[in-house]
Amino acid sequence: MKRRSVFVRALSAFSMVSVVLAQMPIVANAEEEKEEKTWKKTDYIENGDFEKGDLSGWSVSMPDDDGENVGSKIKVDEWASNNKTNIFNYWNNNADGAELSLSQTIKSLPAGSYKLSFEADGATSQSGMTVSIAGEKIDVETTGWDSWSTFTTEEFTVTDKEDITVSFSGKVESGYWGDVDNFVLYALEDSSAEEPGQEETEETEPVDSEINVEKVAGCDDNFITGVDVSSYLSEKNSGVKYYDFDGNELSNQGFFDFLHDCGVNYVRIRVWNDPTDGNGNGYGGGNCDIDTAVKIGKWVTNAGMKVLIDFHYSDFWADPGKQTAPKAWKSMSIDEKTEAVEAYTKDSLDKLIDAGVNVGMVQIGNETNNGVAGEKTWENMSKIFSAGSKAVREVSENLDHDILVAVHFTNPETSGRYAGYAKKLDDYGVDYDVFASSYYPYWHGTLSNLKSVLSNIADTYDKKVMVAETSYVHTLKDGDGHTNTEYEGKSGDALNFDISVQGQADSVRSVIDTVVSIDDGIGVFYWEPAWIPVKAYDADAEDAADVLAGNKKAWEKYGSGWASSYAGAYDKDAKDWYGGSAVDNEAWFDFEGHALASAKIYSYVRSGAKAPLSVIRIDVEAVTVELGDDVVLPENASVVYNDGSKVDAKVNWDEAKLAEAKEAGAGEYEIPGTVVVNDETKDVTCKLTINPKNLLVNGSFEDGNKAWTISDIKNADGNNGVSIQADSSNVRTGQMSLKFWDNEEIYYTVEQKVTVDKGVYKLGAFVEGGDCGDEAEFKLYAVVGDNNFSTDTGVTGWQNWANPEVTDIIVNTDSTEITVGVSVKAVAGGWGAWDDFYLYKTAEASSEEIGGGDDPTPTPGDDPVIDDPGSGNQDDPAIDDPAEDDNKDSDHKQEIEKAVQQIVKAVDTFVKQVVVPVIKEITKVVKKIFGWFRW
């Protein structure tokens, strides 16, 4: 079905629904006075997250359950991205509806005010199911596979202790499937509802601030609210200055005093064994050796805070992608290396403690999913962990001072990962106190999942748990000229909070609230809140080149970027892609070093903070249409306030500018308009994209197989493979997509033939998927006569839509039939989908244009003047005629000029078809590297 007009939300990547109530924005009229209420999670619902792996606490009834066509079960969806924990799954493939009831009765619920929250996903339709409690009901409507939504009932009141039933019931519609998870009952804190053993706490009024922060119940002074500022000294050496809220420049000691005053009580410092090339040149990333840790540790201690030492047991960054042994340990046996770890750990801690540093915790390795100190087997890894732990215990005993031992892993979103790691640690008898996790909301799943996996470790192995690294952006702008981890236009990363200082604070608060709610959850560390530009860089400024050159010089000399060029011999990733900070847009200071309101988040989670109502931004939907379609701009803009509320405001568009855009035709335009907010006129813009007419038939597959030829080359058994299907979970637009999956090797092509006139064309498509193997080949191509135009692409995850394009497809003759298509080779188990193919004419082709249709591409070797240098110089009867001789010289000159022109065009084609695509691929690699690494 041809789509006349497509509205694309400009901030669609930011619209994923939060997974805990504390994260949910309140949508209301911003002009209404809002009642402040604080809700606390309770444990009244047993096994509400189904993490016991069964239906403990629940009763289920489904009379038509046959285990095949109709049924329900507890399962883990290993293909999902947004929930890889246990869920309650149900389905009905019969022609008629199927009755289902899942319920739990809470005995003697105390008097008070409550809300019920739960999550659901499922087919894109009404489920037929309803959740009810104490007279409050919610009809469950879902929007696709792995598209989890959070539902919350209205507030209800229990006047006296009574039994209350939570019910998920109804008639499952024919053809429907769905999942539910994370049933949580929330109690209003100022109501009379109390959990067993709850103690009364002194109520405090929220402090005035620039941001709103809800107080986190249970976040007392003993809860660790830490930061990792390992890059601080290299930043200062590079000339960076930091300022407090009043604009006063902070001294070294003043900086750490400032952090303490903002609620920080712990500072994490990474330590590398020898981060130099042997000639005195530092590897960068802060040049974090033990001497640097001592200097920073003394300032931390003097400010009244404790220190966590993060031993990487490497000379540079250690993470899941690399765990390189220090140069000095490279050739050691495991027994020698174990002795070296113990000695190095003890000597380093002695040096810190002798300098007066208050070491409260030691981390044995950093993000050690796949190894530590160059060891990759669990047997040897455990020997390294144990050696480090033994050294800490010895130092602690000699000091008569408790020092916690932590191990550190990442990727909590993967089902069973942390449980597996904890079991291995237990099996090998590793002595530790704290199981620490990284949690970056962009990549690491939901907070309910984080709570579940950490709670399981705390309960099963009696360990303390914490988040050792987290952060969030306050802007998507770059501050130093080096690509950031999160940037404008990046797809696939979950940005569940607003891109603002308020959103940054909301993200941190939600992580704290999650860890506080875990028994034996002891703290949260924010990663590198002070790693800002050496000097703020503006690509459009006149001095941009000088600023960037100065930044690069500082990164090399002082190590204030993520890596210097000197690290290349040791770290494969730094060999070509060294540079500056990748997280300057996630700091608690702006690009000039002035403290943001989020710097006080640790203070605010203990007191609460309230800001005057103000507008954060005004959102306008972008509009994309095809040339010739009607252009209709959004009637309203969405005014977003700092308390999370949103209000629609009517937009008055500049009709003259809109008319100009329509007249101009295909292109991208910014149409200005105005809205009135609180009696003040505000400017807004709408991004309007007018695409050329799509020359492909059925480019979005809404008409099934029409116009497409599918060749499933490796599909031997005729099952699975590639086909055009209706699958709401794997479409980009509409209802249909070209979907593929097979349990055997995958190799297919899908093509369409189309007749076009002379011109220059662009072919594009969108693709998503995963598990296709390291050697997978994805190619988008166009064949014009004897000429092939193509680009390589790939898949990076579910709904992470890549947009490969083949540009400068040249056709020289009218009514030329060209073939466009895709070719995919992948391993068994690979999966994904293609959608929204397009072929646009982007320019006219000149009569002498080369490269397509029935006119073969000329090459320098096809020209007779080049092939036969003597042509035109043979003896001629009329050679003595000066006029004829002049004419011959002129003709010869014209032939040479023509040949030169053809050579130039051939070179131009080579650049367009070979050099430009190579540069584009290199650019993609750069973005991929700096979008993937986290240091």
Side-chain angles (χ1 to χ4, degrees):
M1 181 174 62
K2 185 176 179 181
R3 296 170 63 85
R4 294 286 292 171
S5 177
V6 181
F7 285 83
V8 183
R9 290 194 177 276
L11 299 179
S12 62
F14 311 153
S15 64
M16 293 179 64
V17 180
S18 169
V19 297
V20 292
L21 188 64
Q23 294 171 250
M24 293 179 60
I26 302 171
V27 181
N29 188 325
E31 296 180 1
E32 295 179 0
E33 183 177 354
K34 299 175 179 61
E35 181 183 0
E36 295 292 333
K37 293 184 177 181
T38 302
W39 295 89
K40 181 182 179 181
K41 298 176 186 177
T42 72
D43 294 324
Y44 289 123
I45 297 178
E46 181 185 353
N47 194 27
D49 55 8
F50 305 103
E51 289 311 303
K52 291 185 178 180
D54 55 28
L55 286 165
S56 297
W58 295 94
S59 297
V60 63
S61 173
M62 198 172 196
D64 296 330
D65 187 347
D66 59 10
E68 294 184 5
N69 292 322
V70 179
S72 66
K73 63 181 178 181
I74 304 298
K75 61 174 279 190
V76 173
D77 190 341
E78 62 181 10
W79 298 104
S81 298
N82 296 318
N83 190 334
K84 294 188 176 183
T85 65
N86 284 307
I87 55 180
F88 179 79
N89 169 244
Y90 60 101
W91 66 94
N92 174 27
N93 293 324
N94 282 350
D96 299 324
E99 296 288 344
L100 169 64
S101 174
L102 175 73
S103 64
Q104 178 175 152
T105 299
I106 303 170
K107 297 291 186 180
S108 302
L109 182 67
S113 296
Y114 298 92
K115 286 184 179 182
L116 174 70
S117 173
F118 66 95
E119 298 167 24
D121 81 338
T124 307
S125 65
Q126 290 282 351
S127 64
M129 302 299 292
T130 299
V131 169
S132 60
I133 182 171
E136 298 295 332
K137 296 183 178 181
I138 295 180
D139 293 330
V140 178
E141 182 175 358
T142 51
T143 58
W145 173 75
D146 206 33
S147 179
W148 287 87
S149 298
T150 300
F151 298 84
T152 307
T153 67
E154 294 296 325
E155 177 182 338
F156 63 91
T157 302
V158 176
T159 57
D160 198 0
K161 280 189 176 183
E162 60 179 295
D163 295 348
I164 297 292
T165 298
V166 179
S167 173
F168 174 67
S169 60
K171 182 176 288 188
V172 184
E173 297 291 342
S174 173
Y176 183 85
W177 61 270
D179 310 295
V180 289
D181 199 6
N182 297 320
F183 285 86
V184 179
L185 191 64
Y186 289 83
L188 186 63
E189 279 199 327
D190 59 4
S191 73
S192 58
E194 293 184 0
E195 292 188 72
Q198 179 179 344
E199 297 179 1
E200 293 185 4
T201 57
E202 183 180 352
E203 293 296 325
T204 58
E205 288 295 318
V207 299
D208 293 333
S209 174
E210 299 174 26
I211 55 177
N212 292 300
V213 179
E214 181 183 352
K215 180 179 177 180
V216 176
C219 184
D220 56 23
D221 292 339
N222 294 321
F223 187 83
I224 295 172
T225 43
V227 295
D228 185 324
V229 288
S230 301
S231 65
Y232 173 79
L233 190 57
S234 65
E235 288 276 271
K236 290 290 289 184
N237 290 339
S238 298
V240 173
K241 296 180 179 180
Y242 298 94
Y243 303 88
D244 65 16
F245 295 112
D246 297 322
N248 301 308
E249 184 179 346
L250 296 168
S251 65
N252 288 327
Q253 187 59 57
F255 175 84
F256 290 93
D257 292 340
F258 172 78
L259 290 179
H260 178 266
D261 292 343
C262 289
V264 177
N265 56 23
Y266 240 100
V267 173
R268 181 176 183 249
I269 309 170
R270 61 179 168 269
V271 175
W272 295 318
N273 289 39
D274 177 22
T276 69
D277 66 353
N279 297 314
N281 300 307
Y283 286 165
N287 292 337
C288 300
D289 58 13
I290 189 61
D291 293 333
T292 297
V294 169
K295 290 178 182 178
I296 295 175
K298 290 170 70 175
W299 291 321
V300 172
T301 302
N302 291 340
M305 300 180 287
K306 290 184 178 181
V307 169
L308 161 57
I309 294 297
D310 172 18
F311 287 115
H312 282 221
Y313 298 118
S314 180
D315 287 341
F316 204 39
W317 299 107
D319 54 46
K322 51 185 179 292
Q323 292 283 340
T324 308
K327 295 183 290 290
W329 300 355
K330 184 177 180 180
S331 59
M332 289 183 178
S333 67
I334 182 59
D335 291 336
E336 292 171 332
K337 193 180 291 185
T338 299
E339 292 178 2
V341 167
E342 183 178 348
Y344 173 75
T345 305
K346 183 179 183 303
D347 291 346
S348 297
L349 291 176
D350 285 342
K351 191 169 187 177
L352 286 158
I353 291 166
D354 289 346
V357 176
N358 184 7
V359 179
M361 192 185 313
V362 174
Q363 187 178 302
I364 310 299
N366 190 79
E367 293 189 334
T368 55
N369 293 30
N370 301 313
V372 60
E375 300 301 326
K376 298 186 180 300
T377 68
W378 266 101
E379 180 180 1
N380 288 351
M381 288 168 60
S382 296
K383 290 179 180 179
I384 300 295
F385 293 144
S386 295
S389 176
K390 181 180 177 183
V392 177
R393 300 300 191 205
E394 183 178 343
V395 171
S396 176
E397 183 177 350
N398 292 339
L399 190 65
D400 194 23
H401 170 72
D402 286 339
I403 301 177
L404 295 174
V405 175
V407 292
H408 180 208
F409 301 93
T410 190
N411 299 110
E413 76 281 6
T414 304
S415 177
R417 180 188 294 274
Y418 279 10
Y421 292 163
K423 186 177 187 304
K424 288 290 187 181
L425 293 168
D426 188 62
D427 289 345
Y428 283 101
V430 176
D431 175 24
Y432 71 100
D433 305 300
V434 183
F435 189 103
S437 172
S438 293
Y439 179 77
Y440 294 103
Y442 322 119
W443 316 308
H444 291 157
T446 65
L447 286 165
S448 59
N449 174 67
L450 178 70
K451 177 180 178 179
S452 175
V453 296
L454 291 183
S455 295
N456 178 57
I457 290 168
D459 295 342
T460 304
Y461 300 101
D462 192 25
K463 299 296 182 182
K464 298 176 175 62
V465 294
M466 72 177 189
V467 168
E469 297 180 21
T470 192
S471 66
Y472 196 78
V473 291
H474 64 82
T475 178
L476 289 177
K477 294 180 180 179
D478 168 52
D480 67 356
H482 177 84
T483 305
N484 285 327
T485 303
E486 298 300 319
Y487 52 84
E488 191 75 53
K490 184 180 181 183
S491 63
D493 286 359
L495 295 166
N496 294 332
F497 300 88
D498 195 68
I499 309 302
S500 63
V501 176
Q502 178 67 61
Q504 184 181 55
D506 291 341
S507 176
V508 180
R509 186 211 172 274
S510 69
V511 177
I512 294 170
D513 185 54
T514 298
V515 178
V516 165
S517 70
I518 301 171
D519 291 340
D520 291 320
I522 65 169
V524 171
F525 286 83
Y526 194 94
W527 199 78
E528 290 286 6
W531 203 347
I532 61 174
V534 172
K535 188 172 182 181
Y537 169 80
D538 180 354
D540 297 325
E542 291 183 3
D543 64 346
D546 292 337
V547 170
L548 184 56
N551 285 349
K552 289 181 176 179
K553 184 177 180 180
W555 300 337
E556 288 285 283
K557 183 176 182 179
Y558 301 109
S560 48
W562 87 264
S564 72
S565 63
Y566 305 110
Y570 181 79
D571 187 311
K572 58 183 175 62
D573 300 315
K575 185 174 183 179
D576 297 312
W577 311 117
Y578 54 89
S581 171
V583 291
D584 53 42
N585 59 341
E586 300 180 47
W588 289 350
F589 298 82
D590 66 19
F591 293 157
E592 285 77 28
H594 296 276
L596 303 173
S598 50
K600 292 195 74 172
I601 182 62
Y602 287 156
S603 175
Y604 291 155
V605 294
R606 293 181 168 99
S607 65
K610 187 174 183 180
L613 191 66
S614 63
V615 175
I616 294 178
R617 67 178 192 279
I618 303 175
D619 292 338
V620 179
E621 290 179 333
V623 176
T624 300
V625 298
E626 191 173 289
L627 191 64
D629 288 350
D630 294 334
V631 179
V632 180
L633 300 187
E635 181 179 353
N636 296 312
S638 179
V639 183
V640 182
Y641 288 85
N642 61 340
D643 65 347
S645 62
K646 299 178 182 179
V647 176
D648 285 341
K650 183 176 177 58
V651 185
N652 293 312
W653 295 111
D654 187 328
E655 296 296 336
K657 292 293 184 182
L658 178 57
E660 290 178 10
K662 292 178 181 179
E663 181 67 24
E668 293 187 353
Y669 309 93
E670 290 191 353
I671 309 302
T674 59
V675 297
V676 177
V677 180
N678 299 329
D679 298 325
E680 183 179 354
T681 300
K682 301 278 189 180
D683 293 330
V684 295
T685 58
C686 176
K687 182 179 178 181
L688 170 63
T689 301
I690 302 177
N691 287 322
K693 181 176 177 59
N694 189 357
L695 301 174
L696 296 181
V697 177
N698 190 29
S700 296
F701 306 105
E702 298 304 304
D703 293 328
N705 287 5
K706 181 180 179 181
W708 294 99
T709 300
I710 300 175
S711 299
D712 204 349
I713 299 166
K714 283 287 186 178
N715 189 358
D717 58 12
N719 297 322
N720 304 315
V722 58
S723 63
I724 295 171
Q725 299 180 24
D727 181 353
S728 60
S729 63
N730 282 288
V731 297
R732 181 174 175 270
T733 61
Q735 301 297 318
M736 308 284 284
S737 67
L738 178 69
K739 183 180 175 183
F740 66 91
W741 177 83
D742 212 329
N743 57 0
E744 57 186 9
E745 184 182 355
I746 295 170
Y747 177 25
Y748 66 83
T749 63
V750 180
E751 295 183 338
Q752 179 176 149
K753 296 183 183 298
V754 58
T755 300
V756 299
D757 289 336
K758 181 172 65 174
V760 182
Y761 295 84
K762 176 171 69 175
L763 170 68
F766 294 85
V767 62
E768 54 96 41
D771 301 322
C772 290
D774 294 336
E775 305 300 321
E777 296 180 10
F778 284 72
K779 189 178 294 293
L780 175 71
Y781 60 85
V783 180
V784 185
D786 295 329
N787 300 291
N788 292 295
F789 303 83
S790 67
T791 187
D792 293 325
T793 185
V795 292
T796 57
W798 177 73
Q799 288 292 318
N800 291 353
W801 291 98
N803 180 204
E805 290 187 329
V806 183
T807 59
D808 297 322
I809 303 170
I810 301 168
V811 178
N812 286 330
T813 307
D814 287 345
S815 300
T816 295
E817 183 180 76
I818 69 174
T819 300
V820 302
V822 295
S823 171
V824 173
K825 296 180 180 179
V827 298
W831 59 273
W834 294 86
D835 206 355
D836 296 333
F837 281 70
Y838 53 87
L839 179 67
Y840 299 145
K841 184 176 183 179
T842 56
E844 299 294 336
S846 67
S847 59
E848 295 185 353
E849 190 65 83
I850 61 176
D854 298 325
D855 182 16
T857 305
T859 64
D862 292 329
D863 192 276
V865 176
I866 302 299
D867 285 349
D868 185 1
S871 177
N873 292 325
Q874 296 89 345
D875 290 340
D876 191 283
I879 194 68
D880 293 333
D881 186 332
E884 287 190 24
D885 191 50
D886 289 344
N887 289 335
K888 287 182 178 181
D889 287 344
S890 177
D891 291 343
H892 191 195
K893 184 178 181 180
Q894 289 177 1
E895 289 176 347
I896 293 174
E897 288 177 348
K898 182 178 179 181
V900 171
Q901 289 174 357
Q902 289 176 319
I903 292 171
V904 170
K905 288 187 176 182
V907 171
D908 181 65
T909 298
F910 175 77
V911 170
K912 288 180 178 178
Q913 296 182 18
V914 178
V915 177
V916 171
V918 169
I919 292 174
K920 286 182 177 179
E921 291 305 312
I922 290 173
T923 302
K924 290 178 182 178
V925 171
V926 173
K927 289 183 177 179
K928 182 177 180 181
I929 288 174
F930 294 120
W932 182 83
F933 288 111
R934 166 65 63 172
W935 299 283

